[in-house]
Amino acid sequence: MTDGFKQERITRRQLLGAAASMGVVALGAGLLSGCSSRSGDSSSASSTLSAKQGEATSSSSSSSPSSSSAAPTQGTGKALVAVFSWSGNTLGVANRIVEDAQFELFRIEPAVAYTTDYNEMLQVAQDEQSQNAMPKIVGNVSNWDEYSTIYLGFPTWWGHLPQIVKSFLSEHDCAGKVVYPFNTHGGSGFASCLSDLAAACPNADVREGLSLMGDSVQSSTSQVDDWVKKNA
Ligand SMILES: Cc1cc2nc3c(=O)[nH]c(=O)nc-3n(C[C@H](O)[C@H](O)[C@H](O)COP(=O)(O)O)c2cc1C
């Protein structure tokens, strides 16, 4: 949807200014450094991963997760990749996980489409956060109980889990499930996303996550592959 490189540069500049005015010191520091030092975070890689390809293959959200073959099981049930991605970076990672492990994919999408304008999106996301809004999502995972493992993907938005991911979690109880978070960002890593996640699903078994710079997704296939291999 957007040029990742250009977007990350805009992100750093704009978010720094806004974060500073909001007193979000940690976020500002993360964006300034251009990379994250948080645990589970990484940005180097060596092969090719196409976020655009991901967008093309998974552009619609439906109540039935999509998969080219029967989903392998993890633990006592199946594994599902559920992802929210506004500009395609996190979706690129999600598609690689699906490719690697043949898991099913569910896209978390807003019932009322988000703006495609970057500056407007910054404001909308900030408003959603300050109001603790729970935007409605398109569809639900109808066979949710069949999944014992959820790979949950999202971008960092204003240092936090996007509100729409909280909406998804409020409608899909992760109690008793294993959750592997994966994330893309513009420099601040997971920031507060993991504590948001723990608060949103306190009875889930949240495992070590994978966090990548949004502009390095295309060159991070090996890291994604290693992470999937380690966990699947
Ligand atoms: C509304 C909004 C808020 C963002 N907030 C942050 C942030 O707090 N920290 C950060 O490092 N990047 C931030 N970014 C950059 C995104 O996390 C980054 O571009 C990510 O790779 C986008 O993933 P996506 O393409 O899957 O939507 C923000 C981007 C948007 C649109």
Side-chain angles (χ1 to χ4, degrees), residues 7-8 11 15 27 31 84-91 118 121-123 125 154-160 184-189 212-215:
Q7 185 190 335
E8 296 305 330
T11 297
L15 287 176
L27 166 61
L31 292 170
F84 168 66
S85 180
W86 180 70
S87 54
N89 295 336
T90 320
L91 181 60
Y118 185 74
M121 192 63 249
L122 289 178
Q123 187 60 52
F154 48 84
T156 301
W157 271 10
W158 291 112
H160 288 273
T184 69
H185 59 90
S188 58
L212 300 167
M213 286 283 287
D215 58 6

PDB file of all heavy atoms in Angstrom, residues 7-8 11 15 27 31 84-91 118 121-123 125 154-160 184-189 212-215, ligand 1:
ATOM      1  N   GLN A   7       7.898   5.515   4.180  1.00  0.00           N
ATOM      2  CA  GLN A   7       6.995   5.595   5.320  1.00  0.00           C
ATOM      3  C   GLN A   7       7.757   5.611   6.641  1.00  0.00           C
ATOM      4  O   GLN A   7       7.438   6.356   7.547  1.00  0.00           O
ATOM      5  CB  GLN A   7       6.051   4.405   5.305  1.00  0.00           C
ATOM      6  CG  GLN A   7       5.033   4.519   6.410  1.00  0.00           C
ATOM      7  CD  GLN A   7       4.259   3.244   6.554  1.00  0.00           C
ATOM      8  OE1 GLN A   7       4.156   2.484   5.602  1.00  0.00           O
ATOM      9  NE2 GLN A   7       3.732   3.010   7.716  1.00  0.00           N
ATOM     10  N   GLU A   8       8.797   4.774   6.737  1.00  0.00           N
ATOM     11  CA  GLU A   8       9.536   4.726   7.988  1.00  0.00           C
ATOM     12  C   GLU A   8      10.213   6.055   8.272  1.00  0.00           C
ATOM     13  O   GLU A   8      10.288   6.496   9.397  1.00  0.00           O
ATOM     14  CB  GLU A   8      10.582   3.596   7.957  1.00  0.00           C
ATOM     15  CG  GLU A   8       9.978   2.215   7.854  1.00  0.00           C
ATOM     16  CD  GLU A   8       8.970   1.938   8.945  1.00  0.00           C
ATOM     17  OE1 GLU A   8       9.117   2.485  10.046  1.00  0.00           O
ATOM     18  OE2 GLU A   8       8.002   1.211   8.668  1.00  0.00           O
ATOM     19  N   THR A  11       7.664   8.349   9.459  1.00  0.00           N
ATOM     20  CA  THR A  11       7.265   7.925  10.796  1.00  0.00           C
ATOM     21  C   THR A  11       8.197   8.493  11.851  1.00  0.00           C
ATOM     22  O   THR A  11       7.769   9.068  12.826  1.00  0.00           O
ATOM     23  CB  THR A  11       7.300   6.392  10.893  1.00  0.00           C
ATOM     24  OG1 THR A  11       6.351   5.883   9.989  1.00  0.00           O
ATOM     25  CG2 THR A  11       6.975   5.928  12.283  1.00  0.00           C
ATOM     26  N   LEU A  15       6.587  11.151  14.180  1.00  0.00           N
ATOM     27  CA  LEU A  15       6.266  10.614  15.497  1.00  0.00           C
ATOM     28  C   LEU A  15       7.159  11.190  16.574  1.00  0.00           C
ATOM     29  O   LEU A  15       6.743  11.379  17.704  1.00  0.00           O
ATOM     30  CB  LEU A  15       6.371   9.090  15.489  1.00  0.00           C
ATOM     31  CG  LEU A  15       5.242   8.404  14.742  1.00  0.00           C
ATOM     32  CD1 LEU A  15       5.471   6.915  14.692  1.00  0.00           C
ATOM     33  CD2 LEU A  15       3.901   8.694  15.402  1.00  0.00           C
ATOM     34  N   LEU A  27       9.409   6.309  23.522  1.00  0.00           N
ATOM     35  CA  LEU A  27       9.073   6.169  22.106  1.00  0.00           C
ATOM     36  C   LEU A  27      10.010   7.026  21.287  1.00  0.00           C
ATOM     37  O   LEU A  27      10.569   6.597  20.301  1.00  0.00           O
ATOM     38  CB  LEU A  27       7.615   6.599  21.878  1.00  0.00           C
ATOM     39  CG  LEU A  27       7.177   6.829  20.431  1.00  0.00           C
ATOM     40  CD1 LEU A  27       7.312   5.555  19.639  1.00  0.00           C
ATOM     41  CD2 LEU A  27       5.749   7.332  20.395  1.00  0.00           C
ATOM     42  N   LEU A  31      12.668   5.802  18.355  1.00  0.00           N
ATOM     43  CA  LEU A  31      12.598   6.258  16.979  1.00  0.00           C
ATOM     44  C   LEU A  31      13.883   6.948  16.579  1.00  0.00           C
ATOM     45  O   LEU A  31      14.341   6.832  15.455  1.00  0.00           O
ATOM     46  CB  LEU A  31      11.401   7.203  16.809  1.00  0.00           C
ATOM     47  CG  LEU A  31      10.050   6.531  16.955  1.00  0.00           C
ATOM     48  CD1 LEU A  31       8.947   7.577  17.013  1.00  0.00           C
ATOM     49  CD2 LEU A  31       9.795   5.573  15.821  1.00  0.00           C
ATOM     50  N   PHE A  84      -3.216  -7.834  12.124  1.00  0.00           N
ATOM     51  CA  PHE A  84      -3.687  -6.516  11.694  1.00  0.00           C
ATOM     52  C   PHE A  84      -2.501  -5.814  11.060  1.00  0.00           C
ATOM     53  O   PHE A  84      -1.401  -5.799  11.627  1.00  0.00           O
ATOM     54  CB  PHE A  84      -4.211  -5.672  12.864  1.00  0.00           C
ATOM     55  CG  PHE A  84      -4.418  -4.241  12.462  1.00  0.00           C
ATOM     56  CD1 PHE A  84      -5.399  -3.911  11.533  1.00  0.00           C
ATOM     57  CD2 PHE A  84      -3.594  -3.228  12.948  1.00  0.00           C
ATOM     58  CE1 PHE A  84      -5.567  -2.595  11.091  1.00  0.00           C
ATOM     59  CE2 PHE A  84      -3.760  -1.915  12.530  1.00  0.00           C
ATOM     60  CZ  PHE A  84      -4.749  -1.595  11.609  1.00  0.00           C
ATOM     61  N   SER A  85      -2.714  -5.250   9.895  1.00  0.00           N
ATOM     62  CA  SER A  85      -1.641  -4.549   9.197  1.00  0.00           C
ATOM     63  C   SER A  85      -2.257  -3.425   8.392  1.00  0.00           C
ATOM     64  O   SER A  85      -3.095  -3.665   7.529  1.00  0.00           O
ATOM     65  CB  SER A  85      -0.904  -5.533   8.270  1.00  0.00           C
ATOM     66  OG  SER A  85       0.143  -4.893   7.589  1.00  0.00           O
ATOM     67  N   TRP A  86      -1.844  -2.206   8.685  1.00  0.00           N
ATOM     68  CA  TRP A  86      -2.433  -1.061   7.962  1.00  0.00           C
ATOM     69  C   TRP A  86      -1.741  -0.828   6.630  1.00  0.00           C
ATOM     70  O   TRP A  86      -2.390  -0.588   5.629  1.00  0.00           O
ATOM     71  CB  TRP A  86      -2.362   0.198   8.834  1.00  0.00           C
ATOM     72  CG  TRP A  86      -2.931   1.401   8.161  1.00  0.00           C
ATOM     73  CD1 TRP A  86      -4.249   1.646   7.871  1.00  0.00           C
ATOM     74  CD2 TRP A  86      -2.199   2.532   7.660  1.00  0.00           C
ATOM     75  NE1 TRP A  86      -4.380   2.854   7.230  1.00  0.00           N
ATOM     76  CE2 TRP A  86      -3.134   3.422   7.089  1.00  0.00           C
ATOM     77  CE3 TRP A  86      -0.847   2.876   7.645  1.00  0.00           C
ATOM     78  CZ2 TRP A  86      -2.770   4.631   6.513  1.00  0.00           C
ATOM     79  CZ3 TRP A  86      -0.478   4.084   7.077  1.00  0.00           C
ATOM     80  CH2 TRP A  86      -1.441   4.947   6.514  1.00  0.00           C
ATOM     81  N   SER A  87      -0.428  -0.915   6.618  1.00  0.00           N
ATOM     82  CA  SER A  87       0.292  -0.586   5.390  1.00  0.00           C
ATOM     83  C   SER A  87       1.050  -1.761   4.781  1.00  0.00           C
ATOM     84  O   SER A  87       1.827  -1.584   3.851  1.00  0.00           O
ATOM     85  CB  SER A  87       1.252   0.585   5.630  1.00  0.00           C
ATOM     86  OG  SER A  87       2.115   0.345   6.713  1.00  0.00           O
ATOM     87  N   GLY A  88       0.844  -2.965   5.305  1.00  0.00           N
ATOM     88  CA  GLY A  88       1.364  -4.156   4.631  1.00  0.00           C
ATOM     89  C   GLY A  88       2.608  -4.782   5.222  1.00  0.00           C
ATOM     90  O   GLY A  88       2.946  -5.909   4.879  1.00  0.00           O
ATOM     91  N   ASN A  89       3.319  -4.076   6.099  1.00  0.00           N
ATOM     92  CA  ASN A  89       4.575  -4.637   6.620  1.00  0.00           C
ATOM     93  C   ASN A  89       4.336  -5.882   7.478  1.00  0.00           C
ATOM     94  O   ASN A  89       4.964  -6.930   7.277  1.00  0.00           O
ATOM     95  CB  ASN A  89       5.327  -3.589   7.450  1.00  0.00           C
ATOM     96  CG  ASN A  89       5.801  -2.417   6.622  1.00  0.00           C
ATOM     97  OD1 ASN A  89       5.978  -2.542   5.413  1.00  0.00           O
ATOM     98  ND2 ASN A  89       5.998  -1.269   7.246  1.00  0.00           N
ATOM     99  N   THR A  90       3.445  -5.769   8.435  1.00  0.00           N
ATOM    100  CA  THR A  90       3.197  -6.908   9.328  1.00  0.00           C
ATOM    101  C   THR A  90       2.523  -8.046   8.565  1.00  0.00           C
ATOM    102  O   THR A  90       2.755  -9.225   8.852  1.00  0.00           O
ATOM    103  CB  THR A  90       2.339  -6.484  10.541  1.00  0.00           C
ATOM    104  OG1 THR A  90       2.767  -5.193  10.993  1.00  0.00           O
ATOM    105  CG2 THR A  90       2.480  -7.478  11.680  1.00  0.00           C
ATOM    106  N   LEU A  91       1.739  -7.673   7.574  1.00  0.00           N
ATOM    107  CA  LEU A  91       1.110  -8.702   6.736  1.00  0.00           C
ATOM    108  C   LEU A  91       2.168  -9.506   5.978  1.00  0.00           C
ATOM    109  O   LEU A  91       2.026 -10.719   5.792  1.00  0.00           O
ATOM    110  CB  LEU A  91       0.130  -8.058   5.752  1.00  0.00           C
ATOM    111  CG  LEU A  91      -0.605  -9.019   4.825  1.00  0.00           C
ATOM    112  CD1 LEU A  91      -1.445 -10.017   5.624  1.00  0.00           C
ATOM    113  CD2 LEU A  91      -1.470  -8.255   3.835  1.00  0.00           C
ATOM    114  N   TYR A 118      -1.640   8.849   5.593  1.00  0.00           N
ATOM    115  CA  TYR A 118      -0.757   8.577   6.726  1.00  0.00           C
ATOM    116  C   TYR A 118      -0.950   9.553   7.893  1.00  0.00           C
ATOM    117  O   TYR A 118      -1.084   9.136   9.058  1.00  0.00           O
ATOM    118  CB  TYR A 118       0.693   8.607   6.236  1.00  0.00           C
ATOM    119  CG  TYR A 118       1.669   8.218   7.295  1.00  0.00           C
ATOM    120  CD1 TYR A 118       1.810   6.899   7.690  1.00  0.00           C
ATOM    121  CD2 TYR A 118       2.439   9.190   7.928  1.00  0.00           C
ATOM    122  CE1 TYR A 118       2.691   6.546   8.684  1.00  0.00           C
ATOM    123  CE2 TYR A 118       3.325   8.839   8.924  1.00  0.00           C
ATOM    124  CZ  TYR A 118       3.449   7.517   9.301  1.00  0.00           C
ATOM    125  OH  TYR A 118       4.318   7.177  10.293  1.00  0.00           O
ATOM    126  N   MET A 121      -4.131   8.955   9.576  1.00  0.00           N
ATOM    127  CA  MET A 121      -4.083   7.698  10.348  1.00  0.00           C
ATOM    128  C   MET A 121      -3.405   7.919  11.695  1.00  0.00           C
ATOM    129  O   MET A 121      -3.829   7.366  12.722  1.00  0.00           O
ATOM    130  CB  MET A 121      -3.360   6.619   9.545  1.00  0.00           C
ATOM    131  CG  MET A 121      -3.512   5.212  10.111  1.00  0.00           C
ATOM    132  SD  MET A 121      -5.219   4.625  10.127  1.00  0.00           S
ATOM    133  CE  MET A 121      -5.603   4.582  11.866  1.00  0.00           C
ATOM    134  N   LEU A 122      -2.359   8.727  11.701  1.00  0.00           N
ATOM    135  CA  LEU A 122      -1.692   9.023  12.979  1.00  0.00           C
ATOM    136  C   LEU A 122      -2.685   9.615  13.966  1.00  0.00           C
ATOM    137  O   LEU A 122      -2.734   9.229  15.143  1.00  0.00           O
ATOM    138  CB  LEU A 122      -0.537  10.016  12.762  1.00  0.00           C
ATOM    139  CG  LEU A 122       0.706   9.506  12.037  1.00  0.00           C
ATOM    140  CD1 LEU A 122       1.706  10.652  11.877  1.00  0.00           C
ATOM    141  CD2 LEU A 122       1.352   8.344  12.784  1.00  0.00           C
ATOM    142  N   GLN A 123      -3.486  10.556  13.468  1.00  0.00           N
ATOM    143  CA  GLN A 123      -4.442  11.238  14.346  1.00  0.00           C
ATOM    144  C   GLN A 123      -5.550  10.281  14.797  1.00  0.00           C
ATOM    145  O   GLN A 123      -5.906  10.238  15.981  1.00  0.00           O
ATOM    146  CB  GLN A 123      -5.050  12.438  13.598  1.00  0.00           C
ATOM    147  CG  GLN A 123      -5.928  13.320  14.479  1.00  0.00           C
ATOM    148  CD  GLN A 123      -5.151  13.918  15.657  1.00  0.00           C
ATOM    149  OE1 GLN A 123      -4.100  14.521  15.455  1.00  0.00           O
ATOM    150  NE2 GLN A 123      -5.642  13.705  16.884  1.00  0.00           N
ATOM    151  N   ALA A 125      -5.461   7.061  15.060  1.00  0.00           N
ATOM    152  CA  ALA A 125      -4.932   6.077  16.025  1.00  0.00           C
ATOM    153  C   ALA A 125      -4.734   6.711  17.396  1.00  0.00           C
ATOM    154  O   ALA A 125      -5.019   6.092  18.430  1.00  0.00           O
ATOM    155  CB  ALA A 125      -3.606   5.515  15.509  1.00  0.00           C
ATOM    156  N   PHE A 154       0.846  -7.418  14.600  1.00  0.00           N
ATOM    157  CA  PHE A 154       0.342  -6.041  14.672  1.00  0.00           C
ATOM    158  C   PHE A 154       1.521  -5.072  14.557  1.00  0.00           C
ATOM    159  O   PHE A 154       2.651  -5.411  14.914  1.00  0.00           O
ATOM    160  CB  PHE A 154      -0.379  -5.813  16.017  1.00  0.00           C
ATOM    161  CG  PHE A 154       0.422  -6.310  17.184  1.00  0.00           C
ATOM    162  CD1 PHE A 154       1.417  -5.533  17.760  1.00  0.00           C
ATOM    163  CD2 PHE A 154       0.228  -7.605  17.686  1.00  0.00           C
ATOM    164  CE1 PHE A 154       2.183  -6.016  18.819  1.00  0.00           C
ATOM    165  CE2 PHE A 154       1.001  -8.102  18.742  1.00  0.00           C
ATOM    166  CZ  PHE A 154       1.975  -7.299  19.308  1.00  0.00           C
ATOM    167  N   PRO A 155       1.264  -3.851  14.084  1.00  0.00           N
ATOM    168  CA  PRO A 155       2.301  -2.816  14.138  1.00  0.00           C
ATOM    169  C   PRO A 155       2.265  -2.121  15.505  1.00  0.00           C
ATOM    170  O   PRO A 155       1.247  -2.173  16.206  1.00  0.00           O
ATOM    171  CB  PRO A 155       1.865  -1.831  13.042  1.00  0.00           C
ATOM    172  CG  PRO A 155       0.383  -1.985  12.963  1.00  0.00           C
ATOM    173  CD  PRO A 155       0.041  -3.394  13.375  1.00  0.00           C
ATOM    174  N   THR A 156       3.353  -1.503  15.871  1.00  0.00           N
ATOM    175  CA  THR A 156       3.331  -0.624  17.051  1.00  0.00           C
ATOM    176  C   THR A 156       2.674   0.689  16.633  1.00  0.00           C
ATOM    177  O   THR A 156       3.067   1.286  15.636  1.00  0.00           O
ATOM    178  CB  THR A 156       4.773  -0.319  17.527  1.00  0.00           C
ATOM    179  OG1 THR A 156       5.419  -1.544  17.832  1.00  0.00           O
ATOM    180  CG2 THR A 156       4.765   0.583  18.754  1.00  0.00           C
ATOM    181  N   TRP A 157       1.696   1.105  17.376  1.00  0.00           N
ATOM    182  CA  TRP A 157       1.036   2.381  17.102  1.00  0.00           C
ATOM    183  C   TRP A 157       1.123   3.249  18.347  1.00  0.00           C
ATOM    184  O   TRP A 157       0.576   2.893  19.394  1.00  0.00           O
ATOM    185  CB  TRP A 157      -0.439   2.157  16.713  1.00  0.00           C
ATOM    186  CG  TRP A 157      -0.649   1.942  15.232  1.00  0.00           C
ATOM    187  CD1 TRP A 157       0.299   1.748  14.276  1.00  0.00           C
ATOM    188  CD2 TRP A 157      -1.919   1.916  14.545  1.00  0.00           C
ATOM    189  NE1 TRP A 157      -0.281   1.597  13.043  1.00  0.00           N
ATOM    190  CE2 TRP A 157      -1.630   1.699  13.170  1.00  0.00           C
ATOM    191  CE3 TRP A 157      -3.248   2.039  14.953  1.00  0.00           C
ATOM    192  CZ2 TRP A 157      -2.643   1.615  12.207  1.00  0.00           C
ATOM    193  CZ3 TRP A 157      -4.244   1.947  13.996  1.00  0.00           C
ATOM    194  CH2 TRP A 157      -3.942   1.746  12.625  1.00  0.00           C
ATOM    195  N   TRP A 158       1.810   4.349  18.217  1.00  0.00           N
ATOM    196  CA  TRP A 158       1.990   5.272  19.346  1.00  0.00           C
ATOM    197  C   TRP A 158       2.479   4.532  20.588  1.00  0.00           C
ATOM    198  O   TRP A 158       2.015   4.767  21.694  1.00  0.00           O
ATOM    199  CB  TRP A 158       0.696   6.032  19.645  1.00  0.00           C
ATOM    200  CG  TRP A 158       0.348   7.009  18.560  1.00  0.00           C
ATOM    201  CD1 TRP A 158      -0.698   6.937  17.697  1.00  0.00           C
ATOM    202  CD2 TRP A 158       1.058   8.216  18.222  1.00  0.00           C
ATOM    203  NE1 TRP A 158      -0.680   8.005  16.828  1.00  0.00           N
ATOM    204  CE2 TRP A 158       0.378   8.809  17.136  1.00  0.00           C
ATOM    205  CE3 TRP A 158       2.197   8.849  18.728  1.00  0.00           C
ATOM    206  CZ2 TRP A 158       0.808   9.996  16.540  1.00  0.00           C
ATOM    207  CZ3 TRP A 158       2.615  10.035  18.132  1.00  0.00           C
ATOM    208  CH2 TRP A 158       1.914  10.589  17.067  1.00  0.00           C
ATOM    209  N   GLY A 159       3.376   3.607  20.351  1.00  0.00           N
ATOM    210  CA  GLY A 159       3.982   2.881  21.471  1.00  0.00           C
ATOM    211  C   GLY A 159       3.112   1.764  22.028  1.00  0.00           C
ATOM    212  O   GLY A 159       3.497   1.107  22.995  1.00  0.00           O
ATOM    213  N   HIS A 160       1.968   1.548  21.421  1.00  0.00           N
ATOM    214  CA  HIS A 160       1.001   0.593  21.991  1.00  0.00           C
ATOM    215  C   HIS A 160       0.459  -0.376  20.940  1.00  0.00           C
ATOM    216  O   HIS A 160       0.660  -0.207  19.745  1.00  0.00           O
ATOM    217  CB  HIS A 160      -0.166   1.352  22.635  1.00  0.00           C
ATOM    218  CG  HIS A 160       0.207   2.032  23.915  1.00  0.00           C
ATOM    219  ND1 HIS A 160       0.151   1.409  25.141  1.00  0.00           N
ATOM    220  CD2 HIS A 160       0.674   3.283  24.149  1.00  0.00           C
ATOM    221  CE1 HIS A 160       0.549   2.242  26.085  1.00  0.00           C
ATOM    222  NE2 HIS A 160       0.876   3.392  25.517  1.00  0.00           N
ATOM    223  N   THR A 184       5.753  -5.299  13.632  1.00  0.00           N
ATOM    224  CA  THR A 184       6.685  -4.420  12.928  1.00  0.00           C
ATOM    225  C   THR A 184       6.503  -3.013  13.461  1.00  0.00           C
ATOM    226  O   THR A 184       5.466  -2.675  14.036  1.00  0.00           O
ATOM    227  CB  THR A 184       6.508  -4.439  11.387  1.00  0.00           C
ATOM    228  OG1 THR A 184       5.269  -3.817  11.042  1.00  0.00           O
ATOM    229  CG2 THR A 184       6.579  -5.850  10.824  1.00  0.00           C
ATOM    230  N   HIS A 185       7.545  -2.214  13.291  1.00  0.00           N
ATOM    231  CA  HIS A 185       7.571  -0.893  13.932  1.00  0.00           C
ATOM    232  C   HIS A 185       8.531   0.019  13.185  1.00  0.00           C
ATOM    233  O   HIS A 185       9.282  -0.430  12.306  1.00  0.00           O
ATOM    234  CB  HIS A 185       8.020  -1.050  15.393  1.00  0.00           C
ATOM    235  CG  HIS A 185       9.384  -1.669  15.499  1.00  0.00           C
ATOM    236  ND1 HIS A 185      10.534  -0.919  15.510  1.00  0.00           N
ATOM    237  CD2 HIS A 185       9.772  -2.968  15.526  1.00  0.00           C
ATOM    238  CE1 HIS A 185      11.586  -1.728  15.562  1.00  0.00           C
ATOM    239  NE2 HIS A 185      11.150  -2.980  15.574  1.00  0.00           N
ATOM    240  N   GLY A 186       8.546   1.300  13.572  1.00  0.00           N
ATOM    241  CA  GLY A 186       9.444   2.257  12.927  1.00  0.00           C
ATOM    242  C   GLY A 186      10.658   2.598  13.760  1.00  0.00           C
ATOM    243  O   GLY A 186      11.377   3.545  13.457  1.00  0.00           O
ATOM    244  N   GLY A 187      10.892   1.869  14.821  1.00  0.00           N
ATOM    245  CA  GLY A 187      12.088   2.123  15.635  1.00  0.00           C
ATOM    246  C   GLY A 187      11.895   1.853  17.115  1.00  0.00           C
ATOM    247  O   GLY A 187      12.860   1.718  17.856  1.00  0.00           O
ATOM    248  N   SER A 188      10.654   1.780  17.564  1.00  0.00           N
ATOM    249  CA  SER A 188      10.461   1.628  19.013  1.00  0.00           C
ATOM    250  C   SER A 188      10.193   0.193  19.443  1.00  0.00           C
ATOM    251  O   SER A 188       9.905  -0.065  20.603  1.00  0.00           O
ATOM    252  CB  SER A 188       9.349   2.551  19.511  1.00  0.00           C
ATOM    253  OG  SER A 188       8.147   2.288  18.859  1.00  0.00           O
ATOM    254  N   GLY A 189      10.317  -0.753  18.522  1.00  0.00           N
ATOM    255  CA  GLY A 189      10.124  -2.152  18.900  1.00  0.00           C
ATOM    256  C   GLY A 189       8.712  -2.400  19.405  1.00  0.00           C
ATOM    257  O   GLY A 189       7.766  -1.719  19.011  1.00  0.00           O
ATOM    258  N   LEU A 212      10.223  -6.701  14.197  1.00  0.00           N
ATOM    259  CA  LEU A 212      11.098  -6.302  13.089  1.00  0.00           C
ATOM    260  C   LEU A 212      10.828  -4.862  12.695  1.00  0.00           C
ATOM    261  O   LEU A 212       9.677  -4.403  12.766  1.00  0.00           O
ATOM    262  CB  LEU A 212      10.826  -7.180  11.863  1.00  0.00           C
ATOM    263  CG  LEU A 212      11.029  -8.688  12.004  1.00  0.00           C
ATOM    264  CD1 LEU A 212      10.415  -9.408  10.804  1.00  0.00           C
ATOM    265  CD2 LEU A 212      12.504  -9.015  12.132  1.00  0.00           C
ATOM    266  N   MET A 213      11.866  -4.188  12.248  1.00  0.00           N
ATOM    267  CA  MET A 213      11.669  -2.853  11.672  1.00  0.00           C
ATOM    268  C   MET A 213      10.800  -2.992  10.412  1.00  0.00           C
ATOM    269  O   MET A 213      11.039  -3.882   9.586  1.00  0.00           O
ATOM    270  CB  MET A 213      13.012  -2.256  11.263  1.00  0.00           C
ATOM    271  CG  MET A 213      13.869  -1.792  12.411  1.00  0.00           C
ATOM    272  SD  MET A 213      13.317  -0.211  13.095  1.00  0.00           S
ATOM    273  CE  MET A 213      13.823   0.911  11.798  1.00  0.00           C
ATOM    274  N   GLY A 214       9.826  -2.115  10.288  1.00  0.00           N
ATOM    275  CA  GLY A 214       8.936  -2.198   9.136  1.00  0.00           C
ATOM    276  C   GLY A 214       9.677  -2.145   7.811  1.00  0.00           C
ATOM    277  O   GLY A 214       9.311  -2.814   6.853  1.00  0.00           O
ATOM    278  N   ASP A 215      10.755  -1.352   7.768  1.00  0.00           N
ATOM    279  CA  ASP A 215      11.461  -1.221   6.496  1.00  0.00           C
ATOM    280  C   ASP A 215      12.492  -2.322   6.266  1.00  0.00           C
ATOM    281  O   ASP A 215      13.226  -2.283   5.291  1.00  0.00           O
ATOM    282  CB  ASP A 215      12.096   0.171   6.343  1.00  0.00           C
ATOM    283  CG  ASP A 215      13.079   0.502   7.456  1.00  0.00           C
ATOM    284  OD1 ASP A 215      13.358  -0.376   8.293  1.00  0.00           O
ATOM    285  OD2 ASP A 215      13.559   1.647   7.493  1.00  0.00           O
TER     286      ASP A 215
HETATM  287  C1  LIG B   1      -0.794   5.392  13.427  1.00  0.00           C
HETATM  288  C2  LIG B   1       0.653   4.959  13.453  1.00  0.00           C
HETATM  289  C3  LIG B   1       1.350   4.996  14.630  1.00  0.00           C
HETATM  290  C4  LIG B   1       2.667   4.547  14.675  1.00  0.00           C
HETATM  291  N1  LIG B   1       3.327   4.556  15.861  1.00  0.00           N
HETATM  292  C5  LIG B   1       4.599   4.070  15.925  1.00  0.00           C
HETATM  293  C6  LIG B   1       5.300   4.006  17.164  1.00  0.00           C
HETATM  294  O1  LIG B   1       4.801   4.392  18.216  1.00  0.00           O
HETATM  295  N2  LIG B   1       6.548   3.502  17.161  1.00  0.00           N
HETATM  296  C7  LIG B   1       7.144   3.044  16.032  1.00  0.00           C
HETATM  297  O2  LIG B   1       8.266   2.589  16.082  1.00  0.00           O
HETATM  298  N3  LIG B   1       6.499   3.068  14.841  1.00  0.00           N
HETATM  299  C8  LIG B   1       5.245   3.564  14.762  1.00  0.00           C
HETATM  300  N4  LIG B   1       4.571   3.578  13.580  1.00  0.00           N
HETATM  301  C9  LIG B   1       5.206   2.938  12.400  1.00  0.00           C
HETATM  302  C10 LIG B   1       4.650   1.517  12.199  1.00  0.00           C
HETATM  303  O3  LIG B   1       4.699   0.767  13.399  1.00  0.00           O
HETATM  304  C11 LIG B   1       5.470   0.787  11.156  1.00  0.00           C
HETATM  305  O4  LIG B   1       5.500   1.499   9.948  1.00  0.00           O
HETATM  306  C12 LIG B   1       4.925  -0.611  10.907  1.00  0.00           C
HETATM  307  O5  LIG B   1       5.871  -1.373  10.189  1.00  0.00           O
HETATM  308  C13 LIG B   1       3.638  -0.567  10.122  1.00  0.00           C
HETATM  309  O6  LIG B   1       3.132  -1.874  10.017  1.00  0.00           O
HETATM  310  P1  LIG B   1       1.976  -2.223   8.983  1.00  0.00           P
HETATM  311  O7  LIG B   1       2.529  -1.930   7.603  1.00  0.00           O
HETATM  312  O8  LIG B   1       1.738  -3.675   9.183  1.00  0.00           O
HETATM  313  O9  LIG B   1       0.799  -1.379   9.274  1.00  0.00           O
HETATM  314  C14 LIG B   1       3.286   4.065  13.500  1.00  0.00           C
HETATM  315  C15 LIG B   1       2.575   4.074  12.294  1.00  0.00           C
HETATM  316  C16 LIG B   1       1.272   4.515  12.276  1.00  0.00           C
HETATM  317  C17 LIG B   1       0.500   4.504  10.971  1.00  0.00           C
END
